[in-house]
Amino acid sequence: MSDFRITLRPALGSAPRPASRGLSITAMPEGHVVQVLGRPHTPDLFGVLERATGAAHRSVRAAGPGQWFIVGDAPLSRDEFAALSTALQPHATAVDQSHGRVRIRVEGTIVERMLAKGTAVDLDPGAFPVGTSAMTLLGHVSVHLTRIEIAAFEVMVLRGFAESLWEDLVRMSVEFA
Amino acid sequence: MASLISCPHCGARPKEEFTIKGAVLSRPAADAGHQAWTDYVYLRDNPRGTHREYWHHTSGCRRWLVVTRDTVSHEVGFCQDAAAAKLAEVRP
């Protein structure tokens, strides 16, 4: 038995808050992130995903062909994950990534202008409406972008890159202070 | 070098999101001769004009694509998912 006790601490607990008035950057609750990988050549899985997520406070985010993320603000218990995983079988496989990916909420009327400094994705509301997701690079960091409200984006990033990305976002928003 | 690749899954994206593997070649049979395998593994043409290449959308949908581009004008033509093209050469 190890003498170490594993302590869970938020990835962005000590990150400084930005001083910008036009934009707010907040760490979202580290609830759960489940990656879903569909079997090749499976027809549209959207119905299966809808049923598997149920009425719980979870959202399904597209992440490329045959790949999705199921995210939510509340931690997922072992039983809940098992139920979710079973509901997706045999069409898709669920992988718990709650420990590995961090979500950041970026909000403001000029949020697209700030994010456009880092990514080439067309973020115009016409081309990227609410609910749309894209895997892309933000600077040199690979992120998953989702428009969750008309003026708010969720930026999901690997945990190890979270603090670095946070600093990038703060620097990108300095102009709009 | 072409700077915007129109990924069939993600739309137009900058080349920084991609990794280039190289020319699309058909893989020889497992028992093909030494010469056929040497050609396949080591020898490449350096064509002037239209060129078909494997590109991997590493920072996007993570799919292998077949991109047709012009090595003279840098124009990007047809982009297609490698699986859709049923090209058996791509191995994970």
Side-chain angles (χ1 to χ4, degrees), chain A residues 48-70:
Chain A
V48 177
L49 285 162
E50 288 274 278
R51 258 177 284 126
T53 49
H57 295 289
R58 292 178 196 152
S59 313
V60 181
R61 314 246 192 266
Q67 298 173 55
W68 295 267
F69 285 109
I70 296 173

Side-chain angles (χ1 to χ4, degrees), chain A residues 95-177:
Chain A
V95 186
D96 191 0
Q97 299 254 311
S98 310
H99 61 288
R101 289 177 200 254
V102 171
R103 296 181 298 141
I104 301 171
R105 183 188 170 99
V106 193
E107 192 173 9
T109 47
I110 41 171
V111 64
E112 293 96 340
R113 277 178 62 196
M114 188 268 265
L115 289 174
K117 291 180 181 182
T119 180
V121 176
D122 185 357
L123 298 175
D124 184 82
F128 204 88
V130 174
T132 318
S133 296
M135 285 292 288
T136 184
L137 281 182
L138 203 60
H140 290 282
V141 181
S142 192
V143 299
H144 184 257
L145 274 183
T146 307
R147 187 192 284 272
I148 46 178
E149 284 166 33
I150 190 69
F153 283 83
E154 176 196 278
V155 186
M156 185 155 61
V157 64
L158 290 172
R159 189 184 175 95
F161 287 104
E163 243 178 304
S164 172
L165 181 74
W166 183 279
E167 285 166 17
D168 286 352
L169 290 170
V170 169
R171 192 170 298 173
M172 281 152 69
S173 59
V174 163
E175 180 193 345
F176 309 110

Side-chain angles (χ1 to χ4, degrees), chain A residues 35 37 41 63-65 67 69 101 119-121 133-137 142-143, chain B residues 4 9-10 12-14 16-18 57-63 81 83 86:
Chain A
Q35 189 171 22
L37 299 162
H41 315 300
Q67 298 173 55
F69 285 109
R101 289 177 200 254
T119 180
V121 176
S133 296
M135 285 292 288
T136 184
L137 281 182
S142 192
V143 299
Chain B
L4 279 179
H9 306 295
C10 309
R13 295 294 182 92
E16 284 76 12
E17 292 191 3
F18 295 82
H57 198 181
T58 315
S59 302
C61 57
R62 298 187 292 179
R63 298 289 298 181
D81 191 292
K86 291 198 193 307

Side-chain angles (χ1 to χ4, degrees), chain B residues 3-83:
Chain B
S3 56
L4 279 179
I5 306 296
S6 43
C7 173
H9 306 295
C10 309
R13 295 294 182 92
K15 70 171 180 6
E16 284 76 12
E17 292 191 3
F18 295 82
T19 312
I20 311 172
K21 185 194 172 205
V24 175
L25 302 172
S26 51
R27 192 180 173 88
D31 57 356
H34 180 259
Q35 193 57 49
W37 275 101
T38 305
D39 283 2
Y40 174 72
V41 175
Y42 296 109
L43 301 181
R44 292 290 179 273
D45 294 330
N46 185 12
R48 181 179 169 82
T50 311
H51 194 29
R52 288 180 82 224
E53 288 173 317
Y54 284 122
W55 285 56
H56 186 239
H57 198 181
T58 315
S59 302
C61 57
R62 298 187 292 179
R63 298 289 298 181
W64 280 101
L65 311 176
V66 175
V67 174
T68 308
R69 71 181 178 95
D70 194 303
T71 55
V72 179
S73 65
H74 304 314
E75 254 178 81
V76 176
F78 190 52
C79 301
Q80 189 179 22
D81 191 292

